[in-house]
């Protein structure tokens, strides 16, 4: 008869503190008692710390993907990790949030386990779009010389451009093809970079030639009532201030007039040129027969 209430020859006990167990043994009506004390030793208490400089706070066990963390344990005399390493710390670079198991053993050969987790946050998905109306296609990042383009970054909570700007959008006016890089940071303080290139097309070089047969030939000076032919070149399409859309304009001004033509090239870039037709204010000779 045990002090636990058991009446078998043996009992299994799991004391949490030092405990004495008494058994009364009876044989042919005669009884005697015996006692035995089971001592207990507390389990080791693993203590976990992290060492990393990624994310919003250092050493909190939360990192951005691609970074490493050192996981350290204390509270025992020997250690065994789930990857079979036996040091007091391991260096890890998990691609996703991962739990690591470590078994801690103390001098009494008592063991306890801990399961520290390293949380992994994804990098922001950064993007850049264009806003511009230059050239053949708007918002494609290809502009004409002298035009501007707005680069609009997305995917984060803060932005730093290679231009030095720290806004989500930046307006640029490059004179040659130029690449711009933005560093995007999200709410977890994870960072990524992305770039976009603004291409620049040259303006056309327009010119206008004048042909006339009034007075001195082809000098742009005509007598009143005569005509001059203005021929524009340097592009693929033309728009005169008269509304004409051909390269050649026949003008019969009543007074000295300047004609302006807008010349557009195959890239949709435009420039203007002008030519003046001077009218000599005298009547043409009247021929009589």
């Amino acid at each position: 008869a045990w002090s636990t209430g058991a009446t078998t020859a043996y009992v299994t006990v799991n004391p949490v503190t030092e405990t004495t167990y008494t058994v009364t043994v009876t044989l042919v009506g005669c009884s005697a008692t015996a006692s035995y004390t089971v001592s207990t030793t507390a389990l080791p208490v693993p203590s976990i710390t992290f060492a990393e400089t990624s994310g919003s706070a250092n050493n909190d066990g939360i990192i951005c993907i691609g970074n490493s963390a050192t996981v350290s344990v204390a509270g025992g005399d020997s250690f065994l990790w789930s990857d079979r390493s036996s040091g007091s710390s391991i260096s890890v670079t998990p691609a996703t949030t991962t739990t690591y198991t470590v078994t801690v053993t103390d001098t009494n050969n008592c063991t306890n386990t801990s399961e520290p987790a390293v949380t992994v946050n994804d990098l922001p998905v950064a993007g850049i779009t264009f806003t511009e109306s230059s050239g053949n296609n708007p918002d494609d990042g290809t502009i004409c010389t002298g035009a501007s383009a707005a680069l609009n970054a997305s995917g984060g909570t803060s932005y730093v451009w290679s231009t030095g700007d720290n806004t989500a959008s930046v307006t640029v006016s490059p004179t040659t093809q130029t690449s711009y890089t933005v560093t995007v940071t999200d709410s977890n303080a994870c960072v990524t970079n992305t770039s976009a290139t603004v291409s620049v097309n040259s303006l056309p070089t327009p010119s206008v030639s004048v042909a006339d047969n009034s007075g001195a030939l082809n000098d742009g000076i005509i007598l009143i009532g005569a005509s001059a032919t203005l021929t524009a070149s340097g592009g693929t399409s033309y728009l005169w201030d008269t509304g004409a859309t051909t390269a050649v304009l026949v003008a019969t001004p009543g007074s000295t007039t300047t004609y302006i033509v807008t010349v557009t090239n195959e890239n949709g870039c435009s420039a203007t040129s002008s030519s003046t037709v001077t009218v000599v204010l005298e009547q043409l000779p009247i021929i009589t027969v």
Side-chain angles (χ1 to χ4, degrees):
W2 292 89
S3 53
T4 63
T7 59
T8 55
Y10 65 89
V11 291
T12 300
V13 294
N14 296 284
V16 295
T17 60
E18 183 177 283
T19 303
T20 299
Y21 298 91
T22 301
V23 61
T24 300
V25 180
T26 301
L27 180 62
V28 193
C30 297
S31 299
T33 61
S35 296
Y36 190 84
T37 299
V38 178
S39 299
T40 60
T41 301
L43 298 179
V45 179
S47 175
I48 301 295
T49 57
F50 300 96
E52 43 81 15
T53 58
S54 176
S56 300
N58 294 341
N59 308 324
D60 61 353
I62 302 173
I63 63 174
C64 302
I65 191 169
N67 287 270
S68 299
T70 298
V71 187
S72 300
V73 62
D77 291 286
S78 64
F79 313 95
L80 181 63
W81 295 85
S82 47
D83 65 356
R84 311 311 297 170
S85 60
S86 58
S88 61
S89 64
I90 56 172
S91 181
V92 295
T93 310
T96 60
T97 297
T98 303
T99 298
Y100 302 89
T101 301
V102 59
T103 300
V104 178
T105 304
D106 63 14
T107 53
N108 297 310
N109 207 34
C110 294
T111 62
N112 201 358
T113 60
S114 182
E115 295 183 332
V118 175
T119 300
V120 180
N121 288 320
D122 290 328
L123 300 182
V125 180
I128 298 176
T129 59
F130 300 101
T131 302
E132 46 82 14
S133 57
S134 178
N136 288 324
N137 301 307
D139 306 331
D140 64 351
T142 298
I143 62 173
C144 302
T145 298
S148 298
L151 284 73
N152 314 300
S154 60
T157 56
S158 65
Y159 308 89
V160 178
W161 291 89
S162 51
T163 61
D165 295 279
N166 56 8
T167 54
S169 296
V170 60
T171 300
V172 296
S173 301
T175 56
T176 60
Q177 179 173 295
T178 304
S179 180
Y180 299 91
T181 300
V182 62
T183 299
V184 178
T185 304
D186 65 13
S187 57
N188 296 314
C190 295
V191 177
T192 191
N193 296 323
T194 190
S195 299
T197 298
V198 177
S199 298
V200 182
N201 287 322
S202 298
L203 302 181
T205 305
S207 64
V208 178
S209 62
V210 180
D212 69 81
N213 56 11
S214 176
L217 299 182
N218 305 326
D219 62 354
I221 301 174
I222 62 173
L223 298 176
I224 191 169
S227 297
T229 300
L230 287 75
T231 302
S233 61
T236 56
S237 65
Y238 305 89
L239 177 62
W240 295 89
D241 56 354
T242 64
T245 58
T246 56
V248 177
L249 175 70
V250 178
T252 309
S255 60
T256 297
T257 303
T258 298
Y259 295 91
I260 299 173
V261 62
T262 299
V263 178
T264 303
N265 63 16
E266 67 277 4
N267 295 314
C269 298
S270 300
T272 60
S273 184
S274 63
S275 183
T276 300
V277 177
T278 302
V279 178
V280 178
L281 297 177
E282 62 180 52
Q283 294 293 332
L284 295 175
I286 301 174
I287 300 174
T288 60
V289 178

